[in-house]
Amino acid sequence: MHNTVLILDFGSQYTQLIARRVRELNIYCEIHPYHHIPENIDFFKAVILSGSPFSVRAEDAPHPDLSAIKGHKPLLGVCYGAQYLAHFNNGNVAPSDIREYGRAKLETIYDHSGLFAGIPENTQVWMSHSDTIAELPDGGVRLASTRDVANAAYRIEGEDTYAIQFHPEVYHTTHGRQLLENFLVHIAGIKPDWTPAAFVEETVEMLKEKVGDGKVILGLSGGVDSSVAAVLLHKAIGKNLYCIFVNNGLLRKNEFQDVLDQYDHMGLNVKGVDASARFLDALRGIEDPEAKRKAIGGMFIDVFDDEAHLVEDVDWLAQGTIYPDVIESVSVNGPSVTIKSHHNVGGLPDFMKLKIVEPLKMLFKDEVRRVGAELGIDKNLLGRHPFPGPGLAIRILGDITEEKVRILQEVDHIFINGLRKWDLYDKVWQAGAMLLPIQSVGVMGDERTYERVVALRAVESTDGMTADWVNLPYEFLQETSNHIINRVKGVNRVVYDISSKPPATIEWE
């Protein structure tokens, strides 16, 4: 059993980053909403309190009972967490005269052992708060200050309780990784043993025990997540895994056959099902993005139900759900507010009568790739860009028709092949084209045209939680635009999306 860190989510946009930074230290952690603290606290070896958009001074401020944690477990409060520990333990949190957002310097570190071991003075940190800790809580000992914040960090005497008003998880905090390592490894005594090899070994054993002699049906997409899930299950249960790859009519150009050929070399038992007509018919006339996702999710269930009946005595449905899917799909008042629904999260209708197994549901995307490499999966498959489950349906804004799908497949094909030709594909985390619900005036030859507009999107990211647009070479964009307009009938204008996430999402729907 691994030593596990509990991260209590108070609604910060950075909570998932805390988890990723902890995992990068080869330490396993889990995120739980502040108002659903696990009953078995003994399972966790340390606790981190996240930031929050709330003020501790507000009447509706999150106020969980931490009596079983504080003073009993190594505890680190980050930003709101630091103010929470002060405010509810006889300290004083007040509105700050000078709000600190962005970069700051720890001008004074009063104790270079413990939490700040190996961290020099004047190190850069990232602040994001409008309140400040005016007076430390009972037993509080100041550890560090910035020019404008006297109590930038403190500890509680006689406890392994620490608090910082800055965010160690963000890139702009120069020694954030060192601080987290100091707290988790040196103060909490946690052994960094969360590795891809350990995950594979433990997950295969878990699957053997959980599934037993049961039969599992798995929907393959050709992407990283479902492929790694399939190989893990195959390693655990062999011939009892039945894989299905569905052509929903919304795949990339030639992808259905290309993916089937790819899986043929991996030793997996895969059946290809062309259900494109069913999906396109179910989507006809639907414009709302959520309605499209639900229609596709419902049709997937119908197709799988049909296919599952062709395999005798199927017990389980496997899914390639990963941790960001789980986090984004948890809808509570405050933390983890739903951004969009995920059709592969949340269970099955009662009529399907299958149990769900999700071997990757606690992994981030980069961890899935490392596990895939450990399993010996081809690096070209592991390096594939993420592709949305609903496929091109959420890259066609508005209603779906066969003609729109054809246009977008051709545009996407030119864009993705161009990235490969220019040696840019592996420098981009995800790329795709969007078909916009507008037409624009153009001139081709001596004729006036009134045709469609497409937007190209390329982002760099680690796990999709945050993303930046990629500054692709102008020469590449020029060539790609020319090829699209000259070769794809129905398109006369190409634009490039330079929005980051947040505030924009990676997909347009």
Side-chain angles (χ1 to χ4, degrees), residues 477-488:
L477 291 172
Q478 181 182 45
E479 179 183 287
T480 302
S481 175
N482 287 341
H483 284 178
I484 289 170
I485 292 171
N486 289 333
R487 299 177 183 181
V488 183

Side-chain angles (χ1 to χ4, degrees), residues 8 104 113 145 175 182 201 218 233 250 291-293 308 315 324 345 378 504:
L8 288 182
S113 64
S145 302
H175 290 85
N182 288 342
E201 181 180 349
L218 166 66
L233 280 158
L250 303 161
K292 286 195 282 189
R293 287 177 181 273
D315 305 293
V345 177
D378 184 83

Side-chain angles (χ1 to χ4, degrees), residues 23 194 199-200 203 206-207 223-233 319-326 357-365 367-369 371-372 375:
R23 298 276 187 92
W194 174 247
F199 176 83
V200 170
T203 303
M206 178 274 292
L207 292 170
V224 177
D225 303 336
S226 65
S227 299
V228 173
V231 174
L232 272 171
L233 280 158
Q319 294 181 321
T321 310
I322 62 174
Y323 207 21
D325 296 338
V326 175
V357 58
E358 298 169 308
L360 308 178
K361 72 176 182 178
M362 298 307 291
L363 296 185
F364 289 100
K365 175 70 75 173
E367 294 175 314
V368 175
R369 287 195 169 103
V371 167
L375 289 165

Side-chain angles (χ1 to χ4, degrees), residues 154-196:
Y154 66 91
R155 65 178 175 84
I156 303 297
E157 206 163 19
E159 300 178 6
D160 283 332
T161 298
Y162 294 81
I164 53 178
Q165 286 210 76
F166 55 89
H167 289 271
E169 67 273 20
V170 302
Y171 171 80
H172 303 291
T173 296
T174 310
H175 290 85
R177 178 188 174 98
Q178 181 67 58
L179 185 144
L180 289 171
E181 183 177 344
N182 288 342
F183 173 68
L184 295 171
V185 177
H186 304 302
I187 293 172
I190 295 175
K191 183 180 179 182
D193 57 2
W194 174 247
T195 64

Side-chain angles (χ1 to χ4, degrees), residues 27 31-32 46 86 183 235 237 251 270-271 315 321 342 364 405:
I27 294 172
I31 297 173
H32 290 262
F183 173 68
K235 193 175 179 69
I237 63 172
L251 302 175
V270 183
K271 178 183 180 181
D315 305 293
T321 310
H342 293 267
F364 289 100
V405 172

Side-chain angles (χ1 to χ4, degrees), residues 5 48 73 75 120 191 198 208 234-235 271 298 307 311 320 412 433 437:
V5 176
I48 298 175
K73 300 278 184 183
L75 176 64
K191 183 180 179 182
K208 286 180 178 178
H234 182 71
K235 193 175 179 69
K271 178 183 180 181
E307 293 301 322
V311 181
D412 178 86

Side-chain angles (χ1 to χ4, degrees), residues 406 410-411 414 443-445 449 451-452 454 477-494:
R406 179 200 67 79
E410 294 296 334
V411 171
I414 291 171
V443 177
M444 291 186 174
T449 63
E451 296 183 329
R452 298 191 177 277
V454 294
L477 291 172
Q478 181 182 45
E479 179 183 287
T480 302
S481 175
N482 287 341
H483 284 178
I484 289 170
I485 292 171
N486 289 333
R487 299 177 183 181
V488 183
K489 185 178 180 181
V491 175
N492 70 355
R493 192 177 299 269
V494 176

